[in-house]
Amino acid sequence: MALTWGVVSASLLMWSTAAAASELQTVVPATGALAAGTGSAVAPSPSVTTATAPSPPLPAPAVDLPVPNPGFAEPDMSQVVVEAPEPRFAAPTLRDRIGRIWAPVLINGRGPYRLVLDTGATHSAIIAQVASSLGIPLAAASTVRVTGVTGSAVVPTVAVDRMEVGDLAVDSTMLPIVADVFGGAQGVLGTEGLSDKRILIDFGRDRVVISRSRGGLERSGFTTLPLRQLRDHLLALDVRVGGVRAKAVIDTGAQVSIGNTALRTALARHGRKDVKQEEIEGVTLDVAHGDMMQAPPIEVGTLQFNGVYITYGDMYIFDRWHLLREPTLVLGMDVLGTVDVLVIDYRLRELQIRLRRS
């Protein structure tokens, strides 16, 4: 089964000037998007419950959380035409489908374009079709080096005057032109400009709202978890995987979860069960291989995720993050998409989760 890490995800997209030619050094690690329409089997969706004790990991009884009126105003989203029978903005993870999150983004006042919302990417990127529709010729474009989860490549960039969605506005930026591996989306919306923002993803109501963070929100039925900021604006949780302490990077652009070899080694006592070889293709179209297997329960605060499948390997991106030695996990949409509402507050560094009703 081939995994296409087709989102510019878990991406650093770091910019720095290069020497001679007009080549900029850019890092765009793309993490896992399952190849759309390939007929590949999808691992069973994980379940999430409340956990009564952090260690040792024990199955905890499921709790039905109330679903109150959220009590906040949501602006009308820009209209996005979606021909496929799917949600426009927030598709939940189901037993036979890994969820996705899209944002309707205006570029130079045109669009909106449907970009994958990627909390693992520190910079946005678009496909060539979008540049063409904006009337920007690629022939005169400068180039950047894009580094993905499996390798790197030099790609053209285009200059845009403005990108905007909700309360987010980014002026005068360069956008890399990357391969069309987004499963129908037109690029990726990275984290530039989000330092004082809050992202609300409501899977039940098919809503994505990007607004300014104006203090904590008291919401009944939500679990609030503290986030840590790592290098390159990545946000991570402190978790336990089968009792092993690990960092878990929040990556809405990754469709599947990945772990480094340090995590796999620490979990060796759980044994190797149903190991499947996976082929991983990044946004640079380089191919890597990993071993996918079911993980022991993952404890996040008072929540416990069960039945999560992790693909292990020392991908290029872990080296870029300097996270080869300590157990590290990238939580993708196979896990994040199983909740009802997800709120990521960059200013407060909080993750708020409301579970689905049983």
Side-chain angles (χ1 to χ4, degrees), residues 176-202:
I177 306 298
V178 293
D180 188 358
V181 290
F182 300 99
Q186 296 168 298
V188 59
L189 178 65
T191 60
E192 67 264 48
L194 289 178
S195 60
D196 62 342
K197 303 297 190 299
R198 172 187 292 129
I199 304 174
L200 180 141
I201 303 117
D202 189 332

Side-chain angles (χ1 to χ4, degrees), residues 252-335:
T252 59
Q255 281 200 283
V256 296
S257 298
I258 62 173
N260 63 3
T261 298
L263 177 60
R264 180 175 180 174
T265 300
L267 294 173
R269 62 186 176 84
H270 291 276
R272 296 171 50 135
K273 299 179 181 179
D274 300 323
V275 178
K276 296 181 180 179
Q277 294 289 319
E278 297 295 345
E279 185 176 272
I280 302 170
E281 182 179 13
V283 72
T284 61
L285 305 183
D286 295 295
V287 176
H289 296 84
D291 293 333
M292 186 179 76
M293 63 187 78
Q294 186 170 344
I298 300 175
E299 295 176 1
V300 186
T302 59
L303 302 180
Q304 181 172 284
F305 292 88
N306 301 288
V308 178
Y309 280 78
I310 299 176
T311 299
Y312 296 95
D314 275 332
M315 308 301 169
Y316 189 87
I317 188 57
F318 288 123
D319 187 25
R320 295 292 309 195
W321 287 340
H322 301 287
L323 291 175
L324 288 174
R325 296 184 179 181
E326 55 184 315
T328 303
L329 169 68
V330 173
L331 280 182
M333 287 302 297
D334 54 338
V335 176

